Amino acid sequence: MSESRIRFRHLQTFLEVARQGSVARAADFLHVSPPAVTKTLRELEEALGVAVVERDGRGIRLTRIGEIFLRHAGTAITALKQGVDSVRQDGAVNRHPIRIGALPTVSARVMPLAMTLFLKEGTRAAIKIVTGENAVLLEQLRIGALDLVVGRLAAPENMTGFFFEHLYSEQVLFVVRAGHPLLDPNQDVFARLDEFPMLMPTRESVIRPFVDRLFITNGMTAPATEIETVSDSFGRAFLRQSNAVWIISAGVVANELGSGAFVALPVNTEETKGPVGLTMRTDTAPSPAFSILLQTIREAARQGS
């Protein structure tokens, strides 16, 4: 193997292919042709002396060696970006945004105030915020596509190479619109849940195992009508116009609960309570702007919890 033959474009292309799971999608993102992506991957494999990707149906996936190399490639790209940022002249605007992954509950509860506080600091740093499932966001963080994830603490086996800082704890609620039939007093909520559509967290989400156990504890296996979603905008709109029951983190619907538009059903969900916080790679060396951003998120979480 000749390390001198590996270039930035090799690592960048490899990381994007790993993220997209497709040569065509990676090519679209990188604004090159699919053959150019394939050629770059072959050059990387020749330099490494091993295969890092393999066919998987119509897409591709990483080989075992590729999965190992992925961690180091992500670290290398992150370190290079940090090095470039560190030698820019004082006052220069960072053209590369600080990339934040946030769960829907965090996007609704914490990030608006955090951004307001951050903008007052006058750093002029660009910010990019994306929302998604915890597992997806952590994978983006692992390969260097995100700089920070604000969300739930993942399972221990998924935290290798990461550092977690606890901000607050949050639990899941069973939420309905005002005037919902299940709000009539003196009834067994779980005995009637099958009468209504259920908006559920996806099976890949951190909170889904807690929800499933809650159903089993109360004598149910699975809802009769189940809609999996991570879209808070869909959840809000669907709940307002239907008799659906939405199983959702409290922070996502805090405003609606406060106004009375939505109401939490009398279901004991204490066991779904879990830590929400900042997840970063252990090799992260925060820039001044990034450090200020972390402080504003901490302050927003304190004010919002």
Side-chain angles (χ1 to χ4, degrees):
M1 182 190 74
S2 176
E3 292 86 347
S4 62
R5 294 168 56 193
I6 299 177
R7 301 286 186 265
F8 177 83
R9 63 183 175 84
H10 293 128
L11 299 181
Q12 184 182 39
T13 300
F14 171 71
L15 289 173
E16 195 55 40
V17 169
R19 187 170 76 91
Q20 300 285 354
S22 162
V23 167
R25 289 196 296 270
D28 286 341
F29 184 88
L30 296 170
H31 304 294
V32 297
S33 67
V37 170
T38 300
K39 179 182 177 183
T40 301
L41 287 176
R42 287 175 179 168
E43 290 175 356
L44 175 62
E45 290 179 331
E46 289 175 2
L48 293 172
V50 292
V52 292
V53 296
E54 60 187 2
R55 289 285 181 184
D56 182 24
R58 294 186 176 182
I60 64 172
R61 64 183 177 187
L62 301 184
T63 63
R64 290 186 181 275
I65 296 297
E67 291 174 356
I68 295 171
F69 185 67
L70 176 64
R71 296 194 292 270
H72 299 287
T75 299
I77 291 290
T78 300
L80 180 58
K81 289 179 178 177
Q82 291 171 350
V84 171
D85 292 342
S86 68
V87 299
R88 286 199 177 109
Q89 61 182 12
D90 292 342
V93 178
N94 188 350
R95 290 174 295 176
H96 299 288
I98 301 173
R99 302 157 302 172
I100 308 167
L103 288 183
T105 176
V106 175
S107 295
R109 179 179 183 179
V110 175
M111 294 311 297
L113 177 56
M115 288 301 98
T116 299
L117 295 174
F118 182 74
L119 291 175
K120 290 179 180 178
E121 297 291 336
T123 67
R124 300 176 65 200
I127 301 292
K128 178 180 179 181
I129 301 174
V130 298
T131 299
E133 294 181 344
N134 217 60
V136 175
L137 296 177
L138 289 178
E139 184 57 29
Q140 297 295 293
L141 180 64
R142 190 178 302 281
I143 67 175
L146 290 175
D147 304 303
L148 169 71
V149 170
V150 192
R152 284 241 179 179
L153 174 62
E157 61 269 21
N158 296 324
M159 289 298 293
T160 303
F162 293 148
F163 165 78
F164 180 82
E165 176 185 335
H166 179 263
L167 294 177
Y168 60 91
S169 294
E170 186 171 61
Q171 68 189 77
V172 173
L173 300 177
F174 285 55
V175 179
V176 296
R177 62 168 177 80
H180 193 283
L182 284 176
L183 293 173
D184 294 339
N186 303 319
Q187 63 179 314
D188 183 348
V189 171
F190 278 94
R192 295 193 59 193
L193 277 181
D194 275 347
E195 299 175 26
F196 309 100
M198 300 287 294
L199 300 185
M200 298 278 288
T202 64
R203 299 185 187 278
E204 295 76 21
S205 68
V206 174
I207 64 175
R208 182 58 183 261
F210 297 100
V211 174
D212 289 341
R213 284 199 294 271
L214 195 60
F215 276 114
I216 294 171
T217 301
N218 288 274
M220 290 183 65
T221 53
T225 305
E226 176 180 338
I227 303 173
E228 292 188 10
T229 182
V230 295
S231 172
D232 55 309
S233 57
F234 166 74
R236 288 189 180 91
F238 191 64
L239 216 63
R240 289 190 179 100
Q241 66 185 42
S242 73
N243 282 334
V245 179
W246 191 10
I247 302 178
I248 188 67
S249 293
V252 174
V253 290
N255 291 337
E256 288 79 7
L257 292 173
S259 69
F262 295 166
V263 182
L265 292 174
V267 174
N268 184 359
T269 59
E270 186 66 25
E271 68 177 84
T272 68
K273 196 169 188 178
V276 177
L278 308 172
T279 301
M280 292 170 281
R281 290 162 52 127
T282 54
D283 59 359
T284 296
S287 65
F290 190 85
S291 296
I292 292 172
L293 173 65
L294 294 177
Q295 284 298 107
T296 62
I297 295 174
R298 294 180 184 115
E299 179 59 30
R302 280 194 293 270
Q303 294 187 32
S305 59

